[in-house]
Amino acid sequence: MPNWLNDAVFYEIYPQSFYDSNGDGIGDLQGIIQKLDYVKNLGCNAIWLNPVYDSPFMDAGYDVRDYKRVAPRYGTNEDLVELFEQAHARGIKILLDLVPGHTSDTNEWFLQAKKAEKNEYSNRYIFTNNVWDAPPEYRMMCGICERNGNYMVNYFSSQPALNYGFNHITHPEWQLPCDHPDCLKTAEAIKDIMRFWLDKGADGFRVDMADSLVKNDDEKTATAKIWRGVRAMLDKEYPEAAMVAEWCWPQRAINDGGFHMDFYLDHVGNGYCRLFRAGNWGDEAVFNKNGRGNLKAFLDEYLPRYNQTKDNGYISFMTNNHDMPRVTAYLDKQAIKLVNAFIFTMPGVPFLYYGDELGMRYQADLVSKEGGFSRTGSRTPMQWNSGKNLGFSISDETYLPVDKSADAPTVENQKDDPDSIYKVVTDMIALRHKYEDLRGNGELEFMYEEGKIPFAYRRGKLVMYFNPLDVDFEIDTRYDGDVIYKLGNAEIKDGRIKMQPQSFLMIETA
């Protein structure tokens, strides 16, 4: 386990929307380099960079045409190496986004696999043996290449699925077992890509759709075996490199697959959703002040997963990501402050999505861009200042439009505002770095009546009290100590915790 992860706080950067350095309306690597001091000043010491590989951008870069070449709109391979070097000089690690489940249909591997004659890439993807064979249980593209067969895609039609084999063979005429030499070569090709960028200075990878590799693998045992092989390679050759899985099943991702981290994703009705987004746009979320949230539903899911994996890796909470509406679409400003106090004081490795430190808004009415669809509204340009395009670009046309609201939050108008979300985020990250009890592997104990709101939890000598409700709250405490931080009106006095609506209190016990 890389030791640096225990004190890591990640910042997710969507490169095309972060900062445009050359005036073409699209964010780029040199733009990120110019803003590294900003990231450092947030307190973030690691970055997850969404895909920057060469791509036709049918899915915003998650359709990779060439894994070993930076897309020209972002710059060059040399620019990415410079980003690694400049980040490392500031004590910042960089994770690239690895897309192992599929490629673009313009990838050279796939162009070769589509050919009628057999070649070394014929089994790199999953083809049926006949164009008339398209089993309905699979997502197939039919009749669009010279090869006599149809090919499987993971989701979008432009993303043919790479072939890691089938754990259970149901169509032996075209499905290969996981240990087939050609399936093993696919896994080796992914390791080769990882080595290529690790050798150039990358510090690891966020893995897209990490559970999607082997097909007919309901329990994901065969997929986990592949990742165990990758972890063994990292442990031997790059022991300081880290991987975080887009899986949201930590027992499988961490314990079985060997990932260092697993994202806690927003899935309908799961624990993450229960905290921040449940119901009709958050009206049943724990952090909604209306009191309709269900903390027990979160604890019943999270605590067993945490206890089963805490010795092997980290569950990663995120403020948001590029795949879901920003939390501003669900909760009010004070609630979002409490959300950040929660995320940055929980165990694991937290991830801050660019712009969430400002309270950037979800732009719900935007036309889909590069396969974004409903996700497009969370991918709008970073809002730096009151200048043209809110400081993102000098171009007359930008990748996506910026927030046109008169009160659009920007770095300029938020960073010195004592009532801003920015202040809470930076304060909480600073406290996380200051107090070892708040690090990734510190202990956790939920207190009082588990499942009841308001709630509290202890991490070492620090106790966090949350009252997300729109009512006063008062309770006896078994602890005495000094107030380290608070939001809203809250205090500890004469052995009692007193909290007004939507407040937070952190105390350090004797």
Side-chain angles (χ1 to χ4, degrees):
M1 178 65 66
N3 291 330
W4 61 269
L5 282 177
N6 191 44
D7 189 34
V9 177
F10 275 86
Y11 191 66
E12 179 190 349
I13 292 179
Y14 195 67
Q16 52 267 64
S17 292
F18 195 59
Y19 185 62
D20 171 21
S21 72
N22 61 7
D24 66 357
I26 300 175
D28 47 53
L29 293 174
Q30 285 296 326
I32 297 170
I33 290 170
Q34 292 179 29
K35 297 297 185 180
L36 283 174
D37 286 336
Y38 170 79
V39 175
K40 182 178 177 63
N41 289 335
L42 286 173
C44 294
N45 52 14
I47 289 171
W48 157 30
L49 191 60
N50 291 114
V52 293
Y53 314 112
D54 182 42
S55 169
F57 294 103
M58 298 300 293
D59 187 18
Y62 283 94
D63 49 326
V64 180
R65 179 162 50 205
D66 187 343
Y67 286 98
K68 295 182 178 181
R69 179 175 182 249
V70 167
R73 77 183 195 183
Y74 299 131
T76 65
N77 284 22
E78 290 71 26
D79 289 323
L80 186 50
V81 170
E82 183 183 354
L83 174 58
F84 296 150
E85 293 171 347
Q86 292 286 343
H88 293 163
R90 293 165 172 80
I92 297 173
K93 306 285 188 180
I94 303 279
L95 297 194
L96 297 182
D97 215 320
L98 184 68
V99 188
H102 53 260
T103 70
S104 165
D105 58 5
T106 61
N107 188 295
E108 183 61 28
W109 295 350
F110 187 69
L111 297 180
Q112 294 299 318
K114 286 168 62 177
K115 293 181 177 179
E117 65 271 17
K118 290 283 187 180
N119 60 69
E120 64 174 307
Y121 297 103
S122 294
N123 284 330
R124 182 59 54 90
Y125 300 84
I126 303 169
F127 279 82
T128 63
N129 281 353
N130 191 293
V131 73
W132 311 118
D133 185 6
E137 65 267 31
Y138 303 109
R139 191 185 294 264
M140 291 283 184
M141 292 301 295
C142 302
I144 57 176
C145 58
E146 67 181 35
R147 179 173 174 174
N148 184 20
N150 304 308
Y151 61 89
M152 189 182 300
V153 298
N154 274 344
Y155 203 81
F156 286 175
S157 63
S158 59
Q159 295 169 320
L162 286 164
N163 190 3
Y164 296 87
F166 287 72
N167 197 25
H168 300 288
I169 304 293
T170 55
H171 296 269
E173 64 277 10
W174 55 269
Q175 293 176 354
L176 300 179
C178 302
D179 59 357
H180 189 281
D182 290 346
C183 299
L184 297 177
K185 286 180 181 177
T186 304
E188 290 304 313
I190 296 300
K191 291 180 187 176
D192 175 66
I193 293 162
M194 296 174 74
R195 290 187 180 101
F196 179 84
W197 290 113
L198 290 167
D199 288 342
K200 291 185 180 299
D203 298 291
F205 298 89
R206 174 266 189 182
V207 179
D208 180 65
M209 295 177 62
D211 64 338
S212 71
L213 304 190
V214 176
K215 308 306 180 187
N216 292 357
D217 188 26
D218 292 345
E219 299 301 314
K220 305 299 179 182
T221 54
T223 297
K225 184 178 180 181
I226 292 173
W227 290 120
R228 268 290 165 194
V230 172
R231 172 65 183 269
M233 180 269 287
L234 292 181
D235 286 349
K236 180 180 179 181
E237 301 176 32
Y238 307 93
E240 288 300 299
M243 293 193 300
V244 57
E246 185 190 32
W247 198 318
C248 198
W249 199 318
Q251 297 96 319
R252 290 179 175 177
I254 295 171
N255 291 354
D256 298 342
F259 279 89
H260 303 94
M261 302 167 278
D262 184 31
F263 279 127
Y264 205 0
L265 302 169
D266 178 40
H267 293 164
V268 176
N270 78 340
Y272 183 95
C273 174
R274 294 284 189 173
L275 287 172
F276 314 125
R277 297 159 182 272
N280 183 21
W281 290 98
D283 69 340
E284 295 180 7
V286 167
F287 282 90
N288 193 307
K289 62 185 178 182
N290 65 14
R292 294 174 59 190
N294 187 339
L295 183 67
K296 186 176 186 301
F298 159 69
L299 293 173
D300 286 349
E301 177 182 278
Y302 171 76
L303 288 177
R305 293 184 171 198
Y306 164 73
N307 287 322
Q308 290 170 30
T309 60
K310 64 182 180 179
D311 294 331
N312 300 320
Y314 302 101
I315 295 173
S316 287
F317 283 88
M318 55 192 173
T319 62
N320 194 72
N321 70 16
H322 62 289
D323 280 337
M324 59 190 187
R326 291 185 184 270
V327 71
T328 47
Y330 298 86
L331 299 172
D332 64 28
K333 179 179 177 180
Q334 188 64 16
I336 292 171
K337 290 181 179 181
L338 301 187
V339 165
N340 282 289
F342 178 87
I343 286 175
F344 293 111
T345 58
M346 283 288 283
V349 178
F351 282 69
L352 172 64
Y353 186 50
Y354 83 96
D356 278 359
E357 70 273 21
L358 309 178
M360 276 179 57
R361 301 182 180 110
Y362 173 60
Q363 306 294 313
D365 57 350
L366 295 182
V367 174
S368 177
K369 178 78 170 184
E370 296 183 351
F373 299 97
S374 63
R375 306 173 297 179
T376 303
S378 290
R379 301 175 176 185
T380 54
M382 178 67 175
Q383 297 162 195
W384 295 102
N385 56 48
S386 58
K388 185 175 183 179
N389 297 313
L390 300 185
F392 165 69
S393 172
I394 61 172
S395 174
D396 291 333
E397 184 175 348
T398 58
Y399 174 75
L400 284 169
V402 300
D403 188 345
K404 299 293 195 298
S405 305
D407 62 346
T410 67
V411 174
E412 181 181 63
N413 65 31
Q414 295 287 295
K415 66 182 179 66
D416 295 322
D417 179 0
D419 188 45
S420 65
I421 293 172
Y422 179 95
K423 176 170 172 50
V424 174
V425 169
T426 52
D427 285 350
M428 297 312 302
I429 293 175
L431 288 168
R432 187 178 183 92
H433 291 316
K434 178 178 179 180
Y435 290 96
E436 192 167 337
D437 287 339
L438 295 180
R439 305 280 172 84
N441 62 6
E443 60 183 292
L444 171 69
E445 176 196 2
F446 270 80
M447 296 160 46
Y448 301 113
E449 295 183 67
E450 285 193 2
K452 298 293 185 181
I453 308 172
F455 63 95
Y457 52 84
R458 181 183 62 82
R459 302 202 61 205
K461 291 185 177 182
L462 299 178
V463 185
M464 276 60 66
Y465 298 87
F466 290 84
N467 179 18
L469 305 183
D470 196 21
V471 296
D472 290 342
F473 171 67
E474 189 170 331
I475 193 170
D476 289 326
T477 177
R478 65 180 189 250
Y479 295 107
D480 189 20
D482 298 323
V483 175
I484 301 300
Y485 195 80
K486 68 177 182 177
L487 296 169
N489 293 310
E491 65 177 358
I492 178 171
K493 186 176 182 180
D494 300 328
R496 292 188 67 76
I497 300 292
K498 299 179 180 180
M499 308 183 76
Q500 291 187 13
Q502 292 187 293
S503 59
F504 164 74
L505 186 67
M506 179 193 296
I507 67 167
E508 183 176 18
T509 62

